[in-house]
Every structure is written in structure tokens, then in C-alpha cells.
Amino acid sequence: MHAEVVDDKPGKCPICSMTLVPVRLDLVWSCQLHLDVTAMEPGRCRICGRDLVRIIKAVSFSCPVHRKIDSIDPGKCSICGRTLKIKYSLRPHGDHNPKHGGFFIMASNNWHVEVTHPAAGIFRLYIYDNYSKPFTPAGLQARIIELPGAQGKPTPAAIAFKPAPTRGYLEARVPQLALPATIAVKVRFQANDQEYRFDFPFIDYSQEPRGRAGSQ
């Protein structure tokens, strides 16, 4: 029920009290754009050319013919006798790497926020679910509430992030803001939800990971 709950011994889920079941986890290399890519060594994505990053995936062994056969241990299919094939699956919170060269933070509702500062005066905000897949919640609102002021002291602000059509992120503009720049952001993920505060320090501009042309 709550796949993000992991313990090293048997027991009950602290959220729903269901009995915990065994799971096999492995730290592997994967592409942040093509999550089906799994490698045992660092390298580049065979599809887009991005550098692979380390994430946690679930490991199981399944029959290529009888898909209902899925075990945490290697062996033979109990129906046809075929050798089970290793399978890697995404896990909640298995990937907390920034996707666009910014700062990646988990909110208390288990979703994730990344804010980037790609160029002077520009800030971009991305939202990810608990599997670190990008999405835009209905009713999403975000605003910058603090900017660097005189002598490095924060000063109040009210600058809204606005959707960038077809881009998958929200953007806010702060003209004449120099580096280094620490901003405070409040995000309301859904209507009638609370606001969450996040602080992002930028020493330099964010660098978007690059792969082959057209991979972004």
C-alpha cells in the first residue's frame, strides 16, 4: 500500500498497519528521461546520450511467458520451468537527483520540487510525483516570497511563477538580480491545500544536462 515504507526487519507499516512484505532493492544507473534504462556501471543513455545517474530500483525475477510469476528470488517458473529473468522496477523516492541542474527537494506530501536559475533574472519550477516523474497538479500555484536585499538580508517579495506553455515548468522573472542569489518560494500544489516553503541558494547559474541533439 505504501511502497515508500522500507525497513530491514519484518513488522507492520507505520502508516496503515499492514504486514510488511519482502522486497529486493538495488542501487543502479539509469537515465532520468528514459527510466526503463538500467545499467550496472556509469555511462550514457543509449537513447538520448545523457549521463546516467544512480537511483534505487526494485529487483524481481519473472517468467517471460507467464507474467504472473514474479519472485524476489531467482529460480525457475513454476508453470513452464523456464529460467526467471531479472526485472528492475521504479520505487517511490528511489531517485532524488535534480533533472534540470537545479535544487531538488521532497515536500512533506511526498511530491518533489526542483527550482533552477538558468540565466540572469529567470527562475524555473518543476514538480514531480513520488516516482520523480514530472507532472503538473491541478490548482498548482507558486510564488517567490523573499529575495536577497541590502547587506545580504532577505527582503519580502511577491513574484508569481507562471506556466510556460508546452514546456512542463513554471517560470518567474526577477530583473537585475545578481549572483549569488538565495530565494524563498511558497508552493500550493492543489486548491485548498496548504502552502509549502522552500529555500534555494544559487551560487551560479543552473546547467541543464545535455545529451544528443533533440534529447531534451
Side-chain angles (χ1 to χ4, degrees), residues 12-216:
K12 300 287 186 179
C13 173
I15 301 173
C16 66
S17 297
M18 293 181 67
T19 300
L20 301 179
V21 297
V23 63
R24 187 189 293 260
L25 303 176
D26 198 1
L27 187 61
V28 298
W29 295 87
S30 186
C31 175
Q32 293 179 301
L33 293 183
H34 303 95
L35 294 171
D36 289 338
V37 171
T38 302
M40 298 300 106
E41 301 290 341
R44 299 178 74 85
C45 175
R46 64 178 183 272
I47 300 171
C48 68
R50 269 195 177 205
D51 288 330
L52 302 181
V53 298
R54 301 201 82 178
I55 72 173
I56 297 172
K57 287 188 177 182
V59 182
S60 63
F61 299 86
S62 63
C63 176
V65 176
H66 302 96
R67 301 293 184 180
K68 66 179 181 180
I69 302 299
D70 196 68
S71 170
I72 65 168
D73 296 312
K76 302 285 187 180
C77 175
S78 59
I79 300 174
C80 66
R82 287 180 171 83
T83 299
L84 300 181
K85 302 295 184 181
I86 193 167
K87 181 177 72 174
Y88 293 93
S89 305
L90 294 179
R91 290 284 301 178
H93 308 293
D95 178 13
H96 282 172
N97 297 284
K99 315 295 188 269
H100 298 279
F103 289 94
F104 191 93
I105 299 176
M106 186 176 78
S108 58
N109 68 347
N110 285 333
W111 288 346
H112 306 90
V113 173
E114 181 180 8
V115 168
T116 69
H117 188 19
I122 298 175
F123 294 91
R124 291 172 181 167
L125 182 146
Y126 302 81
I127 304 295
Y128 308 91
D129 65 12
N130 58 343
Y131 286 88
S132 293
K133 293 183 177 181
F135 81 119
T136 303
L140 174 65
Q141 295 181 347
R143 57 196 171 95
I144 297 173
I145 63 165
E146 284 183 358
L147 292 169
Q151 300 177 341
K153 294 183 179 180
T155 183
I159 303 172
F161 281 88
K162 298 180 180 179
T166 74
R167 295 288 185 172
Y169 57 75
L170 280 68
E171 187 170 279
R173 293 183 176 263
V174 188
Q176 282 121 24
L177 182 63
L179 290 170
T182 296
I183 66 169
V185 175
K186 279 195 172 181
V187 179
R188 191 188 307 277
F189 292 104
Q190 296 173 302
N192 301 320
D193 191 10
Q194 71 181 79
E195 283 190 311
Y196 298 83
R197 175 180 169 136
F198 307 97
D199 292 82
F200 300 95
F202 293 96
I203 305 301
D204 205 347
Y205 295 125
S206 308
Q207 297 293 318
E208 182 81 25
R210 295 293 179 181
R212 288 193 286 269
S215 67
Q216 301 302 320

